[in-house]
């Protein structure tokens, strides 16, 4: 069962800063806007909700902070692989942006690949894939979205963003570590 935690914070917008409260996960702390909400799962992940829930969307706008359990089942019910998109199901999954369609087949190669800073002294494998939603018969639709992933294997953190969350890369870059 998901438990909603209200998280009070503010985002750095247009170069101005304001006080913010932390969201901590597995030793990393990031700052998020006060309008965002954090849901904690019973399997140790956080779903940061950044906006509304569209009528046709499979899940609400936001991103995931996954730990060991989420990493263990992140690639077709197998452990996460940095060369593959996040796809925890071993079958066809509904499209994140429009549940009337499906996000399979997943793209074979990322459109962006490299390392990204996540706070001082921590680098993440960064990948971005363009996911195209398909009909039940496997035909591509006009609906597509980027799937962005930051993976920190030593810290056992996987960040999955399928909504192109504005400012997320900068928030992760400014993360602090305990």
């Amino acid at each position: 069962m998901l438990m909603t935690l209200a998280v009070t914070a503010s985002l750095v917008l247009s170069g101005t800063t304001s006080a913010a409260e932390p969201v901590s996960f597995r030793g990393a702390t990031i700052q998020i806007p006060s309008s965002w909400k954090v849901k904690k799962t019973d399997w140790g992940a956080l779903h940061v909700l950044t906006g509304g829930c569209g009528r046709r969307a499979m899940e609400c706008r936001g991103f995931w902070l996954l730990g060991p359990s989420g990493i263990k089942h992140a690639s077709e019910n197998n452990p996460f692989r940095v060369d593959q998109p996040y796809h925890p199901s071993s079958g066809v999954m509904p499209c994140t942006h429009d549940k009337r369609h499906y996000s399979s087949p997943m793209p074979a190669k990322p459109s962006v690949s490299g390392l990204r800073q996540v706070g001082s002294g921590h680098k993440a494998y960064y990948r971005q894939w363009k996911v195209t939603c398909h009909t039940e018969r496997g035909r591509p639709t006009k609906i597509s979205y980027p799937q962005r992933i930051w993976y920190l294997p030593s810290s056992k953190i996987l960040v999955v963003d399928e909504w192109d969350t504005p400012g997320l890369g900068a928030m992760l870059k400014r993360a602090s570590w305990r």
Side-chain angles (χ1 to χ4, degrees):
M1 175 169 244
L2 296 176
M3 171 176 68
T4 304
L5 304 169
V7 178
T8 306
S10 62
L11 177 66
V12 176
L13 296 171
S14 308
T16 62
T17 58
S18 56
E21 290 186 26
V23 173
S24 296
F25 186 75
R26 300 193 53 78
T29 302
I30 62 171
Q31 308 296 324
I32 66 169
S34 60
S35 60
W36 294 2
K37 304 289 182 233
V38 177
K39 287 189 175 185
K40 185 176 182 178
T41 70
D42 57 359
W43 46 278
L46 296 180
H47 190 193
V48 180
L49 303 171
T50 63
C53 302
R55 200 169 43 101
R56 292 184 178 160
M58 177 62 187
E59 63 182 46
C60 300
R61 290 183 175 274
F63 61 93
W64 287 89
L65 296 169
L66 305 170
S69 182
I71 293 167
K72 184 178 179 180
H73 302 287
S75 183
E76 298 193 1
N77 215 15
N78 290 302
F80 176 73
R81 290 181 38 182
V82 75
D83 63 334
Q84 294 183 343
Y86 176 75
H87 186 75
S89 173
S90 59
V92 176
M93 291 176 53
C95 180
T96 301
H97 290 231
D98 190 335
K99 62 186 170 192
R100 298 172 305 166
H101 302 295
Y102 303 93
S103 61
S104 204
M106 296 301 277
K109 292 186 179 182
S111 55
V112 179
S113 179
L115 296 173
R116 296 289 190 274
Q117 197 71 39
V118 178
S120 180
H122 291 82
K123 294 240 183 206
Y125 291 101
Y126 176 80
R127 302 291 185 265
Q128 181 174 317
W129 286 269
K130 181 182 178 187
V131 178
T132 300
C133 298
H134 291 76
T135 66
E136 189 174 334
R137 296 189 182 266
R139 292 192 177 105
T141 68
K142 292 181 181 179
I143 302 167
S144 66
Y145 57 91
Q147 183 188 86
R148 302 185 307 164
I149 291 176
W150 291 259
Y151 177 51
L152 296 113
S154 296
S155 304
K156 294 184 175 36
I157 296 174
L158 179 64
V159 180
V160 179
D161 177 25
E162 295 184 317
W163 291 96
D164 204 14
T165 303
L168 179 56
M171 287 180 225
L172 293 171
K173 188 175 185 177
R174 290 189 305 268
S176 60
W177 291 86
R178 61 176 153 110

